[in-house]
């Protein structure tokens, strides 16, 4: 909980562009192990980019928060839901 508050305070102090970059970078760190586990041996970066590009703001914030604690079952559910969307599959 405290880590989430620290993350939100850090985001509040940033410019909108910096906040977006910070959120996406943190979310990437939560997505990477999920993609690596689900797609072993595949270059994960393009798949991670597709997940990031098709996530909502709320999903990105949740994933960014997960980067502080490490992936959880909820992280896997969120990544799987985003990856299952037609826009993500066509990415």
């Amino acid at each position: 909980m405290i880590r989430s508050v620290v993350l939100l305070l850090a985001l509040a102090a940033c410019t909108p562009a910096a906040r977006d970059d910070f959120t996406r970078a943190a979310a990437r760190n939560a997505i990477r192990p999920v993609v690596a586990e689900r797609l072993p041996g595949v270059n994960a970066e393009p798949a991670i980019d597709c997940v990031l590009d098709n996530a909502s703001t709320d999903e990105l914030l949740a994933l960014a928060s997960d980067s502080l604690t490490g992936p959880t079952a909820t992280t896997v559910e969120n990544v799987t839901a985003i990856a299952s969307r037609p826009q993500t599959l066509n990415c």
Side-chain angles (χ1 to χ4, degrees):
M1 177 69 179
I2 292 175
R3 290 180 179 175
S4 295
V5 171
V6 170
L7 175 65
L8 290 175
L9 289 175
L11 290 174
C14 298
T15 64
R19 185 173 35 240
D20 185 53
D21 291 344
F22 182 80
T23 302
R24 289 175 68 87
R28 178 179 297 277
N29 288 332
I31 296 166
R32 185 175 287 114
V34 176
V35 171
E37 180 182 314
R38 299 280 191 239
L39 303 169
V42 173
N43 181 3
E45 293 308 310
I48 293 168
D49 289 339
C50 289
V51 171
L52 286 169
D53 292 343
N54 289 288
S56 69
T57 300
D58 288 342
E59 290 167 332
L60 287 173
L61 289 171
L63 291 167
S65 181
D66 290 345
S67 74
L68 297 172
T69 58
T72 65
T74 302
T75 309
V76 174
E77 290 174 12
N78 287 337
V79 171
T80 302
I82 297 164
S84 299
R85 294 179 187 152
Q87 310 93 298
T88 310
L89 293 171
N90 290 328
C91 179

